[in-house]
Amino acid sequence: DPTIILTAGSADAPILSVMKTVQVTTDAYRGVTSTGMSFTYGAEASAVADGTPVLAQPVITVYRATGFVPFSYELDQDIPGGFAEEIAATLAQGYVNLLAQGTMTGSGSSCPRGIFTALLSVTASQTLVTTLGTLGAKDVRNAWSQLPERFRQRSTWLMNVGVESVIRAFGNGAAGASQNLALADFTIDLTQPG
């Protein structure tokens, strides 16, 4: 059976579903950011203060993802269903694997800078757990509380399945009691499977 069965690799790169995709025609994306306009109150007929926003231009280097599998025309003809169709699945999965790793933990050197790599360099973006090595319900609440309000409505939580399982356990009676936590603290019933 010439069917290729993939036995390793990431199943998905979930962060891609919440990322903004921008088409660029150069080797770098040059965006424009601003903290916003400055508004003030003033008396009638008084001069209006200059509220010009401060603009910045972040630059994100573009990297090329590549994958190559040489094969002969004869090989493609010798395999029922075609070798090209089989190898296309491995190429697609290899691309997802590369994106899953790069978008999360990429170093930014000869590859994209991953979100976790970027966040580690910004202390203000980190919420420390109360007890080192232990995740508690109050740590989840603290992470939410420290997220600026303007980001909350559009926020998406992505986490390792192991961390998700720990958080789901907060909703059961034993874990909930030890964390001073009730199911009412959650918007979903965390005792139910995903």
Side-chain angles (χ1 to χ4, degrees), residues 16-182:
L16 297 179
S17 65
V18 296
M19 294 176 79
K20 179 179 180 180
T21 302
V22 178
Q23 295 291 328
V24 296
T25 57
T26 62
D27 62 352
Y29 166 74
R30 289 170 172 78
V32 179
T33 63
S34 172
T35 56
M37 292 285 301
S38 297
F39 275 75
T40 58
Y41 290 105
E44 187 156 341
S46 65
V48 177
D50 182 354
T52 304
V54 176
L55 303 177
Q57 186 175 40
V59 177
I60 301 172
T61 305
V62 175
Y63 294 98
R64 181 183 69 182
T66 59
F68 176 71
V69 178
F71 69 96
S72 69
Y73 180 73
E74 291 83 4
L75 177 62
D76 189 46
Q77 288 186 328
D78 290 343
I79 296 178
F83 182 73
E85 288 78 11
E86 290 299 321
I87 207 65
T90 64
L91 287 169
Q93 188 60 57
Y95 181 63
V96 170
N97 295 346
L98 181 70
L99 288 178
Q101 185 276 329
T103 56
M104 302 304 264
T105 60
S107 68
S109 176
S110 300
C111 67
R113 188 173 185 203
I115 191 165
F116 291 126
T117 306
L119 289 174
L120 283 174
S121 65
V122 182
T123 305
S125 68
Q126 301 172 31
T127 302
L128 299 177
V129 294
T130 305
T131 305
L132 191 61
T134 304
L135 179 65
K138 61 183 165 182
D139 299 317
V140 177
R141 290 191 296 266
N142 286 344
W144 178 254
S145 296
Q146 290 185 26
L147 181 66
E149 188 173 342
R150 69 189 186 106
F151 296 119
R152 290 181 187 169
Q153 191 170 13
R154 297 178 321 214
S155 65
T156 300
W157 290 61
L158 298 173
M159 65 190 79
N160 181 287
V161 173
V163 173
E164 182 181 1
S165 296
V166 169
I167 292 172
R168 285 188 179 280
F170 295 158
N172 70 31
S178 67
Q179 298 289 334
N180 296 321
L181 183 69

